[in-house]
Structures are given as structure tokens and as C-alpha cells.
Amino acid sequence: MHRIFITKENVKNNLITITSKEKVHYLKNVLRLKVLDYIFCFDGKGREYKAKVLNIGKNIILLEVIDVSSSLSELKVRVTIAQSLIKLNRFEFVLQKGTEIGAVGFLPFFSAYSVVKPTENLEKKFLRWKKIVEEASKQSKRVVMPTISFPCDISKLILAFNSYEKVLVAYEKSTSSLRKLLNESKNLKNILLVIGPEGSFSPSEIDIFSKNKASFFKLGPNILRAETASLVALTCVLCLTCQLGG
């Protein structure tokens, strides 16, 4: 059955009202829903609604809530990816695949060797990124949608470290592995993965991370592209914490 993303404002008195031009067009002209058809709606906060189409108007679609369920599929270990901004098509790949794998959030940031600079106008790109996360959540049947923050600088990234139990920074000169670092800290529930650009981090950035209690790890003998490193690291953390792989 098809799924769409809604907000809590769409739901009132056991009815779901769709007025977004984009979603009305999608339901009417792409999915070609008819009255009495069923569809799943998720609010990105952990609730999913099974709904029946009551009425299809020119600019509005009315759904009746048949059943409501809360998420049981979200992973217990929450992993956020802090990704230094890379070429935008590659960053969008991280958003899409990271959402499918199980990241709970994305924190893009500018670093010394980032390809994308703070001078670039990213407002429209940011709206596109949110849409990519929404579509990936819908496709992968996630009920809780990952968050994405507007790009920040290193200083604001450091401030965000306090929100996590463990901050893990990918660094090719490290001698530690993810397995070793995770074994040192049992029962972690909230982890931040920090991934640099393809030029890695500058010495001053490594120093700042170290002074703010970040732990460094190396993924293996091969040098990976930034987008590959993000997804490999995410998968490794979720496997090592028994969230993926059975």
C-alpha cells in the first residue's frame, strides 16, 4: 500500500485533510486514488495512520483514519551523521542512503577543505534535502523521519557534541577501530559520526575535536570517498551495536 508524509496539522477529529498542491497532484494524478481506496500516512514522529479516501476535490483530499499505530521498527541506538559538505549530488546520496540504513539525523557542516563554501546560497538546496529525506523515509517504510540541520561551521558543530554520549570522528591516521571504541563504551544510545571531506580534516580541526573529547577511528586500509565513508561507518556502528544484520 502506498505511503505519504503528513504533519500533525493535517489530522483532526479522525480525519486527515490534504491540501498541499504537490500531494494532491500525487494522490490524484500519479497514484490515481479513488474514493474508498486506502493509503498509509506517517507523521515523521512515530505515528502511522491507515486511512480511507472519503472525498477527492479539485484542491483538497479528505481521508478517514481507520487505524493508528506507533513505531516499533526504529533502531534503539540513535546515530546522527555529521557530514562535512561535499559535492552536492554526493551529499544527497548520503541523505538518501543514510535514511534507508537507519540514521536518525544529519548535521552538515563546513570544514577547512569542504568543496561547498559558506558563501553559497543553500536555502533552496536545504528544502531539496528535506524532501530527499522525506522520500527516502517513505520508501524505506520508516515512521520516524530523520532530522536535517542547516549547514553550520565547526564552532557550532563542537557545541552540538554535548548532545551525544559518544562522538566518533573518521580519521585516516587513527589507530583505533569502531569496534574497539564501541567496546569501550557499553550501552550507548546516542552517537554522532563525524565524517570529513575527501581532503580530510585540517590539523587544527583534529586538534579542536581532540580537545572536545571526540574519539577517532579508521575504517580500514583503503581510503574511501567521503560519501562512502559515511555509509560504511553508519552500517558498521549499527551492526556492532546489534541493530542490523540479525
Side-chain angles (χ1 to χ4, degrees):
M1 194 179 297
H2 297 290
R3 302 174 81 234
I4 61 167
F5 170 69
I6 59 172
T7 64
K8 63 180 182 181
E9 288 76 18
N10 295 119
V11 185
K12 187 175 182 181
N13 297 330
N14 220 41
L15 297 174
I16 299 173
T17 305
I18 308 296
T19 56
S20 160
K21 290 183 179 180
E22 181 182 6
K23 286 187 170 62
V24 169
H25 168 76
Y26 177 71
L27 295 175
K28 286 174 61 176
N29 303 318
V30 179
L31 297 185
R32 298 185 181 278
L33 287 185
K34 306 298 182 186
V35 172
L36 301 183
D37 283 348
Y38 290 89
I39 189 168
F40 281 114
C41 305
F42 71 103
D43 64 3
K45 304 295 184 182
R47 305 195 89 186
E48 186 166 56
Y49 305 85
K50 181 180 180 181
K52 179 171 66 177
V53 180
L54 289 183
N55 184 62
I56 300 175
K58 182 178 180 180
N59 300 308
I60 187 172
I61 294 179
L62 189 63
L63 310 174
E64 179 187 9
V65 175
I66 303 300
D67 189 34
V68 184
S69 61
S70 298
S71 172
L72 297 175
S73 61
E74 288 298 310
L75 304 177
K76 294 181 180 179
V77 177
R78 298 171 55 82
V79 182
T80 299
I81 297 176
Q83 173 73 64
S84 174
L85 279 170
I86 52 180
K87 288 183 179 180
L88 295 180
N89 63 322
R90 294 176 180 172
F91 178 67
E92 290 174 358
F93 183 79
V94 172
L95 295 178
Q96 182 187 63
K97 301 307 175 186
T99 297
E100 293 177 17
I101 294 168
V104 301
F106 300 93
L107 206 171
F109 66 97
F110 300 103
S111 61
Y113 304 142
S114 293
V115 175
V116 180
K117 301 301 180 183
T119 54
E120 295 191 33
N121 189 334
L122 295 176
E123 280 75 11
K124 289 185 178 180
K125 293 291 185 183
F126 183 63
L127 293 177
R128 173 176 166 80
W129 296 342
K130 292 173 72 174
K131 186 65 177 176
I132 288 170
V133 171
E134 177 185 322
E135 290 297 319
S137 298
K138 181 174 70 175
Q139 183 275 325
S140 56
K141 295 188 177 181
R142 293 190 63 172
V143 181
V144 179
M145 192 162 66
T147 59
I148 177 167
S149 303
F150 196 80
C152 66
D153 59 21
I154 285 286
S155 62
K156 289 185 179 178
L157 174 66
I158 295 298
L159 290 176
F161 282 12
N162 294 326
S163 300
Y164 300 90
E165 297 172 302
K166 192 82 170 177
V167 177
L168 303 171
V169 180
Y171 184 46
E172 71 278 5
K173 294 183 181 180
S174 173
T175 57
S176 291
S177 66
L178 280 171
R179 184 186 298 275
K180 178 182 177 182
L181 294 176
L182 292 172
N183 283 340
E184 291 173 353
S185 303
K186 298 292 186 181
N187 301 317
L188 292 171
K189 299 298 182 185
N190 201 14
I191 297 170
L192 181 67
L193 280 176
V194 183
I195 311 294
E198 289 183 16
S200 190
F201 293 111
S202 69
S204 63
E205 288 169 336
I206 292 298
D207 185 55
I208 291 171
F209 292 152
S210 181
K211 288 178 179 178
N212 285 275
K213 300 180 180 180
S215 300
F216 299 94
F217 68 91
K218 184 176 182 179
L219 282 170
N222 298 335
I223 300 298
L224 306 179
R225 283 187 178 274
E227 68 272 22
T228 307
S230 288
L231 301 176
V232 170
L234 173 63
T235 303
C236 286
V237 169
L238 293 178
C239 285
L240 290 169
T241 54
C242 302
Q243 304 301 295
L244 288 181

